[in-house]
Amino acid sequence: MFYAKCTMMECMATTVKMADANNDSETLRLVEQAATGDEQAWAELIAQHRDRLKRMVAVRMDHRLQGRIDPSDVIQEACLAASKQIASYAANPSMPFYLWLRWIAGQRLIDQHRRHMGAQARGVNREVSLYHGAFPEATSEDLAAQFMGRISTPSQEAIRIEQKIALQSAFNTLEPIDREILALRHFEQLSNGEAAAVLGIDKSAASKRYGRALRRLKQLLFPIIGSDFDNSSDLP
């Protein structure tokens, strides 16, 4: 697999032709204008992707930092850094604009983990499995917390805690790449092509792996969530 042989940025640049999210003409126009210093064009670009960035940060931020770090601050730092690099990107847009912006936001999130947690940052557990320290990974605990937040039927707190622990165990049984593609497709809501580019695999492989991971997860979750899961729209 590409992700085992190259850096994440190299993987995305290599597989970008396989993505179905190449910059459209409007995005290219805004990028070109932003590169010349057009602040309105830059603001439009960021507005188009702010919600997607929020989803990415939400699923990948260490739960111990919730309440200590505002995801909006991470995004603001990322946008500031990206604004200083937009001219270089415009000169050589080797990947879709959003994936480039997402990458920068991921670096700022890693910085926040290290800044606020130091040696306690989950660098080994969060960052090495797929991305070799280059991007914050969505852990089983993160995914379980995100999933519990989407279950609409109210239940007693003790039951929800038990469900969360069981969900975390279920996510732990999945391979790291399967957890990651679920995070990308379901929680971040990336397209199949975008997920393939991020992981450095082709679209067909990404689609098949997502389907298998989804079926496996549904099998694992039904005994935990029961009818709530069966009747919910938490997973497609």
Side-chain angles (χ1 to χ4, degrees), residues 31-158:
V31 165
E32 291 172 357
Q33 291 180 349
T36 66
D38 188 327
E39 295 183 0
Q40 180 60 36
W42 179 247
E44 289 183 36
L45 280 169
I46 297 305
Q48 290 176 7
H49 300 295
R50 189 176 298 277
D51 288 344
R52 305 182 81 193
L53 290 176
K54 285 182 179 179
R55 289 195 294 269
M56 185 277 287
V57 172
V59 77
R60 297 174 188 279
M61 180 182 289
D62 192 303
H63 74 282
R64 291 172 291 180
L65 295 183
Q66 293 177 1
R68 295 170 58 185
I69 295 177
D70 188 337
S72 296
D73 292 340
V74 177
I75 295 171
Q76 183 175 353
E77 285 187 14
C79 292
L80 178 60
S83 68
K84 297 177 180 178
Q85 302 174 44
I86 186 61
S88 296
Y89 172 78
N92 182 31
S94 59
M95 67 183 68
F97 175 77
Y98 174 68
L99 295 187
W100 175 75
L101 185 62
R102 176 185 178 275
W103 165 263
I104 293 174
Q107 304 313 294
R108 299 289 78 75
L109 183 55
I110 287 176
D111 290 344
Q112 290 284 3
H113 284 157
R114 293 169 178 165
R115 183 183 309 159
H116 288 268
M117 301 177 64
Q120 295 182 348
R122 290 185 294 179
V124 173
N125 293 328
R126 296 184 68 88
E127 299 170 15
V128 303
S129 182
L130 291 178
Y131 301 129
H132 306 285
F135 202 82
E137 188 172 344
T139 66
S140 296
E141 186 173 8
D142 297 326
L143 295 176
Q146 287 290 314
F147 190 89
M148 287 302 296
R150 296 183 175 212
I151 298 176
S152 58
T153 302
S155 59
Q156 295 180 357
E157 183 64 22

Side-chain angles (χ1 to χ4, degrees), residues 218-234:
K218 287 184 175 182
Q219 292 173 353
L220 292 169
L221 294 188
F222 184 79
I224 302 170
I225 308 301
S227 59
D228 290 347
F229 168 72
D230 187 46
N231 295 323
S232 75
S233 59
D234 293 310

Side-chain angles (χ1 to χ4, degrees), residues 162-221:
E162 291 178 1
Q163 287 179 332
K164 182 178 178 181
I165 294 173
L167 282 169
Q168 185 173 336
S169 296
F171 280 114
N172 272 331
T173 67
L174 300 176
E175 294 182 20
I177 191 173
D178 289 337
R179 287 197 299 270
E180 186 61 18
I181 201 163
L182 287 169
L184 293 169
R185 293 291 311 278
H186 180 61
F187 293 106
E188 288 195 46
Q189 299 178 23
L190 298 190
S191 69
N192 182 61
E194 288 173 323
V198 168
L199 294 173
I201 58 180
D202 63 48
K203 290 197 295 183
S204 176
S207 180
K208 291 177 181 177
R209 185 169 286 277
Y210 177 57
R212 288 196 300 266
L214 197 57
R215 289 191 295 272
R216 175 60 177 157
L217 185 60
K218 287 184 175 182
Q219 292 173 353
L220 292 169
L221 294 188

